[in-house]
Amino acid sequence: MNTFPTQVQSLRARNRRAVMAAIRMKKRIARVDIARETGISAATVTSITADLVKEGLVEETVDPDQPRGGRGRPRVLLQVCPDAFLVAGAKVSTDKITVTLTDFSGEEVYYYVKSMQSSLGRSAEAVADRLRDAIDAAFIGSGRRQNNLASVGVGLPGFVDSKTGLVHWSACFAERNVAFGDVLASRFECPTAIDNDANLVALAEKWFGYGRGMDNFIVLTIEHGIGMGVVLNGKLFRGMGGIGTEFAHTKVVRNGALCRCGQRGCLEAYVADYALVREAAAALGRDLKDPVAPQTELDELYAAAKSGCPVSIGVFDRAAEFFAIGLANLVNLFDPRMIIFSGEQMRYDYLYDDNVLRRMQSLTVVPARKLPEVRVHKWGERIWAKGAAALAMDRLAETAVEGQFLPNGQDMIMSVPEDLSV
């Protein structure tokens, strides 16, 4: 049996994905630079980019940095065609849904937040309905037509298998082992994808932030809990079952404090906001006002620490000690080029100040070596939805580049590849 035609098709598909990824990563890039970045021959790059332009996925533009009025032809660059697709990215949390509508180049078209009293205890169907309502409201606000929606990406906290769409556990649901991917797909007429929210922050950093053009880095999100996304060799690492890199649930104390995941001794049970408020309340003999969303209590605790309250300082110092141990373990395991702290809670510096970094260095296996660069990225709420949009674009780019999903509604085939980490 002659497998040569199949091998040629497979090679061309890989080359098309590599070319498209290079264009997305660089935003604007010349054909000769694509060949150098990817190792693909100049002739093949020319052929592939001609097809991508014809299909409406890529467009030509003049180099904006080239002096005008000079001799010779203007330098032509390639960029993703912004109008090829419109995608929606959404972050589901325990008290709100954040939505961004984004064009195919990654530029935000509209941003919307739908507040909820709490999603705790809700069914997957109820959460999916509220998510659909939030995306509908975003389209109304943007003035765009909903039939232009080409893909939806959703991030939520917990143990999420992105490949199967199974949520093993999340604070957003009353049940465990929820087939949320299937529930979500039933609410939309376009491809959908879900992932752990920290993974999506790593995707946002990879495409739009400090991780752009970087092959090895770690993102740590500091919110109601602690999340982690890992990019290794340019790809998002999820583990064999899609639920790896659960840094928050590494064990630091045997039979220790109760974590919201239901187990004991997790790092998050000593570092997250609910853990800090719980410890402070116990030390001061107080009852928690709101154990589900203790933002007010955390603000008060932080202000008291800054004012010199010994109990409050002790609570933060203990959390910092545990966190430094966790950071040293990450350095010892992954040896990343950069660690990025990201999220809404970055106004609290107790987890990333100089004392924590010195403790981290002292606990690494080679304390004298150069440590990874540490960056703090205060994105605010938008990063979560932006990462979900990046997931949607990743999946959409894969299907589109393979010719299964064309711009402007042409011959769409609603299929999603298994591996989208390009």
Side-chain angles (χ1 to χ4, degrees):
M1 179 178 179
N2 187 3
T3 61
F4 182 71
T6 301
Q7 292 173 347
V8 170
Q9 291 175 351
S10 177
L11 177 60
R12 184 166 180 81
R14 289 199 302 271
N15 286 342
R16 280 171 60 94
R17 289 195 296 269
V19 168
M20 190 67 181
I23 297 171
R24 288 183 64 202
M25 181 60 68
K26 297 296 183 180
K27 289 192 174 181
R28 293 187 182 94
I29 186 171
R31 288 175 173 85
V32 64
D33 295 324
I34 294 174
R36 185 175 60 252
E37 289 279 339
T38 62
I40 301 171
S41 72
T44 301
V45 168
T46 298
S47 173
I48 289 174
T49 54
D51 288 343
L52 294 175
V53 170
K54 183 179 180 180
E55 293 162 10
L57 299 174
V58 170
E59 63 185 12
E60 293 183 334
T61 183
V62 176
D63 187 349
D65 297 326
Q66 184 174 348
R68 294 175 180 263
R71 294 183 178 180
R73 297 177 58 187
R75 187 168 184 254
V76 175
L77 303 181
L78 296 173
Q79 64 183 20
V80 170
C81 183
D83 297 329
F85 298 108
L86 187 66
V87 305
K91 159 67 185 294
V92 179
S93 61
T94 56
D95 58 353
K96 59 180 172 288
I97 295 175
T98 306
V99 176
T100 180
L101 301 182
T102 307
D103 66 26
F104 196 47
S105 71
E107 291 298 317
E108 186 174 85
V109 173
Y110 195 75
Y111 176 73
Y112 176 78
V113 178
K114 179 180 178 62
S115 298
M116 300 187 295
Q117 287 187 342
S118 175
S119 62
L120 290 171
R122 288 194 174 130
S123 67
E125 290 75 13
V127 172
D129 288 339
R130 283 163 175 77
L131 178 61
R132 179 63 198 240
D133 291 343
I135 292 177
D136 288 346
F139 268 96
I140 292 172
S142 70
R144 299 293 185 102
R145 293 184 304 167
Q146 292 194 40
N147 60 1
N148 289 334
L149 181 62
S151 184
V152 176
V154 178
L156 63 160
F159 308 148
V160 182
D161 187 336
S162 181
K163 185 176 179 180
T164 65
L166 182 66
V167 179
H168 297 275
W169 171 83
S170 174
C172 295
F173 301 136
E175 306 91 359
R176 289 176 177 262
N177 300 317
V178 175
F180 189 60
D182 293 339
V183 176
L184 187 66
S186 69
R187 298 319 195 260
F188 295 92
E189 293 72 42
C190 62
T192 59
I194 67 171
D195 207 338
N196 170 268
D197 51 6
N199 282 342
L200 299 188
V201 176
L203 271 184
E205 291 288 356
K206 177 178 182 285
W207 289 113
F208 314 116
Y210 289 141
R212 192 178 189 93
M214 190 175 296
D215 287 338
N216 295 280
F217 65 91
I218 289 174
V219 174
L220 295 174
T221 60
I222 305 173
E223 299 294 319
H224 300 310
I226 305 296
M228 183 172 75
V230 177
V231 173
L232 297 178
N233 299 321
K235 297 182 179 180
L236 185 64
F237 176 77
R238 293 186 175 90
M240 181 181 68
I243 54 172
T245 70
E246 284 295 340
F247 176 57
H249 301 284
T250 55
K251 304 302 182 282
V252 294
V253 177
R254 181 177 175 83
N255 297 324
L258 181 65
C259 179
R260 62 178 180 171
C261 75
Q263 297 189 358
R264 290 186 174 274
C266 299
L267 176 64
E268 184 176 291
Y270 296 90
V271 173
D273 56 1
Y274 69 87
L276 298 174
V277 173
R278 179 176 61 192
E279 183 176 345
L284 297 172
R286 297 178 182 174
D287 292 330
L288 287 177
K289 298 175 186 176
D290 185 356
V292 173
Q295 190 61 57
T296 301
E297 289 88 341
L298 183 59
D299 289 339
E300 294 173 353
L301 182 66
Y302 185 70
K306 290 297 183 181
S307 299
C309 171
V311 173
S312 300
I313 292 174
V315 169
F316 285 118
D317 191 61
R318 185 166 182 253
E321 182 69 35
F322 279 116
F323 198 59
I325 293 171
L327 290 176
N329 288 337
L330 293 182
V331 173
N332 291 335
L333 284 169
F334 295 104
D335 191 24
R337 179 178 171 187
M338 179 182 287
I339 296 176
I340 304 170
F341 294 100
S342 187
E344 297 176 58
Q345 307 284 32
M346 300 315 299
R347 64 184 181 275
Y348 304 128
D349 59 2
Y350 64 92
L351 290 182
Y352 59 88
D353 63 15
D354 290 341
N355 290 329
V356 173
L357 299 183
R358 282 194 292 269
R359 291 174 182 173
M360 174 186 73
Q361 184 169 19
S362 69
L363 295 170
T364 58
V365 291
V366 185
R369 72 175 171 178
K370 182 180 179 180
L371 289 177
E373 182 181 1
V374 175
R375 302 291 295 269
V376 177
H377 206 171
K378 301 178 182 179
W379 285 71
E381 292 182 349
R382 268 180 164 84
I383 186 173
W384 304 97
K386 191 84 169 178
L391 174 68
M393 280 190 289
D394 263 10
R395 296 216 167 177
L396 187 58
E398 282 285 297
T399 52
V401 167
E402 291 178 0
Q404 299 172 322
F405 198 115
L406 299 179
N408 306 317
Q410 305 171 33
D411 300 325
M412 294 184 182
I413 299 176
M414 304 299 188
S415 64
V416 177
E418 293 186 358
D419 185 6
L420 53 96
S421 306
V422 176

